Amino acid sequence: MIRINGDGNKMKNSGQKKRIRTSDLTITAAMAALVFLGTYIFKIPTISGYIHLGDCMILLTVALFGMKKGAAAGAIGGALADLLGGFFYWAAPTFLIKCMWALVMGAIMHKALRNRKGAFLAGAIVGGVLQVAAYTVVRVFIYGPSTALVEVPGLAVQTGAGVVLGFAIYKVLAKSGLAVRLTRRIADS
């Protein structure tokens, strides 16, 4: 059984304390909201869906705040956009696929290629390729194989646009020093 103590910390009955910091919850919630808004509001229609800013917000969350926050923000924000946008049957696949993309990117960026040039792009691209593959598999079950394959280019463009936009925004934040200040401030709180 898990309970929350008076300080807002999560604790297990076994005596082990597992702290969930308020700042971590706040950042994750704020980034999930940005993923939702970027997906739900800022979109450019395409033949098979739309290009949106939600993916770049997921990538920025992973880059700035880590893969766990990125996975949670991406999964929650993306699934919520599908639910409220009328694509309720996509909510569960989106939840899992966006979570997977963030975890893959984070594992590459923050672990395998930590502090190496190109880590952001390597993680985002590998995770993006897996996202395209995963959505295609789901589309095979929903629409059939021929329709799923026809939609691969549109999905690849959407994913690529998210990677390009996310990378561009990340570079601007990094060059301005804001990325370091953000991650440091969060780590210190």
Side-chain angles (χ1 to χ4, degrees):
M1 186 169 143
I2 298 174
R3 62 185 172 87
I4 306 294
N5 71 10
D7 297 330
N9 298 324
K10 186 174 163 183
M11 295 174 29
K12 294 181 181 178
N13 278 345
S14 65
Q16 291 179 330
K17 290 184 181 180
K18 174 69 177 161
R19 293 181 59 111
I20 295 179
R21 299 179 338 170
T22 304
S23 61
D24 290 339
L25 288 174
T26 304
I27 287 165
T28 304
M31 295 311 291
L34 289 174
V35 170
F36 166 74
L37 291 172
T39 305
Y40 190 76
I41 294 176
F42 300 103
K43 51 188 163 189
I44 301 166
T46 63
I47 293 171
S48 64
Y50 52 88
I51 295 172
H52 55 78
L53 296 178
D55 287 345
C56 76
M57 297 312 299
I58 296 169
L59 303 179
L60 286 172
T61 306
V62 172
L64 296 173
F65 306 116
M67 68 180 172
K68 290 179 184 175
K69 289 181 189 76
I76 293 166
L80 190 58
D82 281 346
L83 281 172
L84 295 178
F87 302 101
F88 61 90
Y89 50 91
W90 281 105
T94 293
F95 186 92
L96 296 172
I97 293 168
K98 298 300 183 184
C99 181
M100 177 215 45
W101 187 5
L103 291 174
V104 168
M105 180 187 173
I108 292 170
M109 182 178 185
H110 296 298
K111 295 184 187 237
L113 299 178
R114 185 180 185 106
N115 298 324
R116 293 220 176 112
K117 190 174 184 174
F120 181 103
L121 282 176
I125 291 169
V126 171
V129 168
L130 291 174
Q131 171 180 261
V132 171
Y135 271 120
T136 301
V137 168
V138 173
R139 284 182 168 154
V140 165
F141 288 106
I142 294 175
Y143 305 122
S146 56
T147 303
L149 291 176
V150 166
E151 292 183 353
V152 168
L155 183 55
V157 167
Q158 173 197 320
T159 301
V163 171
V164 169
L165 287 169
F167 183 68
I169 294 169
Y170 180 70
K171 289 307 271 183
V172 167
L173 292 174
K175 284 190 180 206
S176 70
L178 209 59
V180 172
R181 289 197 314 247
L182 271 172
T183 53
R184 233 184 248 149
R185 175 163 285 163
I186 300 310
D188 293 341
S189 62

